[in-house]
Amino acid sequence: MARARYKPLVDRLAAEIRAGHLAPGTRLPTHRQLAAREGLALVTATRVYAELQAMGLVSGEAGRGSFVREAALPPGLGIDQQATATGMVDLNFNHPALPGQAELLRAALRQLAAAGDLDALLRYQPHGGRPHERATVGRHLALRGLAVAPGQVAIVDGAQHGLAVTAMALLQPGDVVAVDALTYPGFKLLAQAHRLELAPLPAAGAGPDLDALAALCRRRRVRAVYAMPTLHNPLGWVTGLARRRQLVAIARRHGLLLIEDAAYAFLAPNPPAPLAALAPECTVYVSGLSKSVATGLRVGFVAAPADCMARIERAIRATTWNTPGVMTAIACGWIEDGTVLRLESGKRADAAARQALAGQAFAGLHPVRHPNGYFVWLPLPAELRADKVAQALLHEGVAVSTAEPFSAGGQVPHALRVALGSVPLDTLGTALATVRRVIDAQPP
């Protein structure tokens, strides 16, 4: 097959950027200027920039043009980022922990070793978990306002696995899924793997623009909505009950599947009813214990309509067969004895203390955050570029994420997502002060 005529231009520009002949931050010709200079059609010039952007070499900014990206910045922060280097302060990922959690695990392992059914845990388990463990999870979900029968619960290897088996079981390649314009990067990765088309919805206060969703459903055959109504990642919103009911009404009117991601829901005190409680017939509720207990405890939950469970269990079989029995037994034991509730309460207080530090460090910068959240969304002043700020912070030994991995649309805002839950409080205060200092020091 003949190579497209514009490909050599893509190669030439990529080589110039990688060699440093086009410095980071350089404003590139407009699409029209590039087309005129190279003798291309406008649509072809647009394709050139799209390929360079896909390579992570340029970024397009609405109203400002196209710029050379900081090539030294790891692409895909939040999805494909390599392990944080030794000595780097990690404000990119959250793995919150409280003092004494290691002792809890030691005690749980000792108790498990003395249990009578230890041998049973070494065998294959039912794909969705053992019946009594599914019932335990059901009782835990009842505390979040969700009444489900044990047969409507599946135990999975963390919330990310729960989202994956939901997509595998209930969606088809090519399906259109409405998502927030800023959304969880892990779902973007799943959409790419399962060849789903993401349709971004703009934000409208504490939730997505539901008028935009209704208009989208009139134009397109939308199959599902992926939502985080209780403590959204990265924006921290908790959607009110009236808007949840409005979303449910749209879902019922257009036959949509609602995928409710509640990974951080435990941090919000007294939230409105989950979508799965308002529309149990069309909602899959996904959560887990990675954030509330420990990221290494890969135990999650999927609660779904009864007619979806067989497909979800087949997807679990196809991916992991079952969640390891030892991990599930520990998790369910901690649910039963109140350990999970105590840890959730402790982490709400811990997150609030960290947010207080963030409020002091970012005063005047208009951070977007929840008072009990483990992250801050930090829009940057109009004259600053997020990739340059992130690169400058890497030189200072602090890793943060730009908006790029969270953006589901074509326009990527200049903002940082600062995770608060991975370092000790004293280290966090110093690191947040460094973030503020670097932002303030950036030339306009």
Side-chain angles (χ1 to χ4, degrees), residues 414-439:
H414 281 285
L416 303 177
R417 191 264 203 177
V418 182
L420 307 178
S422 298
V423 297
L425 274 173
D426 55 348
T427 303
L428 178 65
T430 302
L432 294 177
T434 299
V435 174
R436 179 59 186 264
R437 173 173 56 78
V438 167
I439 291 173

Side-chain angles (χ1 to χ4, degrees), residues 136 328-339:
T136 295
T328 304
I330 291 173
C332 289
W334 282 346
I335 290 173
E336 293 282 14
D337 69 11
T339 296

Side-chain angles (χ1 to χ4, degrees), residues 14 20-21 45 88 98 174 184 222 230 264 279 295 332 353 399 421 431:
H21 300 316
M88 186 75 67
L98 298 177
Y184 168 52
V222 180
T230 304
Y264 282 103
T295 53
C332 289

